[in-house]
Structures are given as C-alpha cells and as structure tokens.
Amino acid sequence: MGLVFGCLQVKESKVAVREHFGKFDDALEPGIHCLPWCFGYKIAGEVSLRVRQLDVKCETKTKDNVFVNVVASIQFRALPEKVEHAFYKLTNANEQIQAYVFDVIRASVPKLELDNVFEQKSDIAKVVEKELAKAMSAYGFKIVQTLIVDIVPDDRVKRAMNEINAAARLRVAAMEKAEAEKILQVKRAEAEAESKYLAGLGIARQRQAIVDGLRNSVVLFSENVPGASAKDVMDMVLLTQYFDTMKEIGALSKSSSVFIPHGPGAVRDVASQIREGLLQPDSAQN
C-alpha cells in the first residue's frame, strides 16, 4: 500500500480500511484510490484476504486417563464483506482461534478412549470446525478447513501400545506355525501309513511269487525225475538258495561276515532248519 499526492494504491489480496475523522468509512479493494487527507480521510490499516494457517497444539486427557497432545491445523481468512469486524473487533485473531480450539478439544477428547481418539479424529475436526465457524463469523473470519494432523500420546504409552500389538502378532504367528506343523505331522503320518500299506502289499506279493515259484519247481522236478519226492525237491531248492546267498555275502567287500557252524555231515541239518523255518508256518496256516 502506497500513498502519493493523495492517491492510494492497494495491493492484490488486501483490503485497506479508510476512516473519516477517526470513524470507519469504507473498505478499499485492490487498485488506485483517491484519499483527500485534507478533508479528514486517512488509512487506518489493511486486512489480508489470503488464507492463513494456524497450528494449535493442545494437551488433554482421554477417557481412559491417557494424556495426549492433539495438534490441530486451522485454515482461515478474512471475509471481504466483513473487513470492518475483522479489523476492529479482534486484536489478535490467532489467540482467539487458539482459545476456541483448546476449549473444543478439551471438551471432546475426554469423552473418548485413546483408541477411539485415533479412529474418530475426523469427527473431532468437524466439531472443532463447526464451533470455530460459528464463533469466528461474528469477527469477520471464515474457517476454510480444520484438520487434526497429529495425536501424540506419552512415550511410555506408545511403547506399551507397540508391545501389545507385537504380542498379538506373535500370538497369531505362533498359532499359524502350530497349525502348519500339525498339517505337516498329519501329512507325514498319512504318507507313512500309505508307505507301510504299499510295503505290506509288496511283501505279500513277493511271498506269493516265491510260493508259486517253489510250487512250479517242485512240480516240474517231480515230473522230470522219476522217484523224486516233493521233500527231496524242496531240500535241493533250499540248499541252492542258501549257497547262493552265502556267495553274494562273500562277494560284497563291505558286508559283515556271517558264520554258521556246519560241516559236510550237517548239510541235512541246515536244510531241515531252513525248511522248518520257511515251510512249517505255511503248513500250519494251511
């Protein structure tokens, strides 16, 4: 704002307050205006129409007795049509707004528990904005926006909240881990049962094949060798298998040695033992 030769220049986004002999006369918008100071006109000051922001930090207590610092951001501006009220009625608009914010926050937050304060911060902002708009409109100001930008509880409370959250997550993780281990054990048991079942089937089929092979050998030998009994054929087959097994064991370089006391006269005893061990259980079942 500049005054030269009775002419006044008002800059953009500002309004000049003109008085006539000490009384409010008019609000001068941006541009060039004549100011005949010799007739008692003068400029008392100017009011900015720009949006201003005020951050208010308010300490209060929640319903569950936790002290928190609530930071509210208030955006406001003067109304062009109420420049007179904005210029003359308030000495300091920031302090007036801060007092209203303190009053509303300290009346709203104590009704809520700490968790609800975080969840309902937009509702708190709306209450603050509503009360501010109603109170500040009488002073020529408009509340553009009210935001609750931060809620800061005591450091010990924050650590406790983090520990509660961490404990809950660890509990869920432990439950999930236990469930996974349970599934693994069940699947492992099912696989083992299936493996044993299939192994049993294999052993049964193996034994059945051995029995069928022995039966066929006995029948063929009896038919081709006149006078040979089934007992003689079984003795020969069993001895042949016995010596084949001994040969295989001896051929392995890292196998354990098995010593069976026998001599030329004890071959019949070995055959009897093998026959009794393999054939008598089958005969008992039959």
Side-chain angles (χ1 to χ4, degrees):
M1 181 178 65
L3 180 61
V4 180
F5 301 114
C7 293
L8 175 69
Q9 178 183 358
V10 180
K11 294 183 179 180
E12 187 66 35
S13 74
K14 293 184 178 180
V15 175
V17 178
R18 187 176 65 184
E19 292 181 346
H20 186 221
F21 291 114
K23 182 180 179 181
F24 174 75
D25 178 65
D26 194 9
L28 305 181
E29 296 181 353
I32 299 295
H33 301 274
C34 293
L35 188 67
W37 54 270
C38 55
F39 293 104
Y41 291 96
K42 72 171 186 175
I43 298 299
E46 60 183 9
V47 177
S48 176
L49 299 180
R50 293 180 179 178
V51 175
R52 289 176 277 176
Q53 179 169 311
L54 175 65
D55 292 331
V56 181
K57 184 177 181 181
C58 175
E59 184 180 20
T60 184
K61 185 178 71 170
T62 62
K63 186 177 181 180
D64 47 353
N65 296 321
V66 177
F67 282 89
V68 295
N69 288 312
V70 180
V71 181
S73 180
I74 314 299
Q75 298 174 358
F76 64 100
R77 66 181 180 87
L79 295 171
E81 63 274 14
K82 293 185 177 182
V83 172
E84 179 183 1
H85 300 308
F87 185 79
Y88 289 103
K89 285 190 174 183
L90 282 181
T91 303
N92 192 321
N94 291 352
E95 291 183 359
Q96 186 76 7
I97 292 174
Q98 182 175 342
Y100 279 111
V101 171
F102 280 176
D103 181 67
V104 176
I105 289 179
R106 288 174 177 170
S108 302
V109 173
K111 299 178 182 178
L112 304 172
E113 295 183 354
L114 181 61
D115 292 339
N116 293 332
V117 173
F118 284 95
E119 295 174 359
Q120 302 181 22
K121 69 174 187 176
S122 59
D123 296 334
I124 298 173
K126 290 179 181 179
V127 173
V128 174
E129 183 176 348
K130 180 180 178 181
E131 294 298 324
L132 279 178
K134 182 169 59 177
M136 297 303 294
S137 62
Y139 300 105
F141 288 93
K142 177 183 178 181
I143 305 300
V144 178
Q145 185 74 29
T146 300
L147 302 172
I148 302 297
V149 296
D150 200 5
I151 300 173
V152 185
D154 185 78
D155 290 338
R156 291 174 296 178
V157 176
K158 288 194 291 185
R159 286 196 298 268
M161 294 174 66
N162 291 334
E163 290 175 359
I164 292 173
N165 186 273
R169 293 181 181 273
L170 289 175
R171 183 169 61 251
V172 173
M175 293 177 61
E176 293 294 335
K177 183 178 179 181
E179 188 67 22
E181 291 179 353
K182 175 184 175 183
I183 294 173
L184 288 176
Q185 291 179 359
V186 170
K187 293 299 182 182
R188 191 180 297 114
E190 292 177 353
E192 185 177 357
E194 184 68 17
S195 176
K196 290 182 178 179
Y197 172 74
L198 295 176
L201 290 178
I203 293 173
R205 291 174 181 175
Q206 180 186 20
R207 290 179 177 176
Q208 184 64 38
I210 292 173
V211 172
D212 293 340
L214 291 175
R215 183 187 302 113
N216 293 334
S217 298
V218 170
V219 172
L220 292 174
F221 196 88
S222 299
E223 292 177 352
N224 295 326
V225 181
S229 64
K231 180 177 178 301
D232 296 334
V233 177
M234 289 303 303
D235 288 342
M236 186 187 68
V237 172
L238 291 176
L239 285 175
T240 302
Q241 291 182 347
Y242 171 75
F243 285 116
D244 289 341
T245 302
M246 295 296 293
K247 180 180 178 181
E248 292 178 0
I249 292 175
L252 297 176
S253 60
K254 295 184 179 180
S255 64
S256 299
S257 299
V258 178
F259 297 95
I260 300 177
H262 64 281
V267 174
R268 182 177 296 273
D269 294 335
V270 174
S272 299
Q273 293 174 9
I274 296 174
R275 183 175 61 253
E276 290 174 1
L278 295 176
L279 296 182
Q280 284 184 358
D282 294 337
S283 301
Q285 292 178 0
N286 294 332

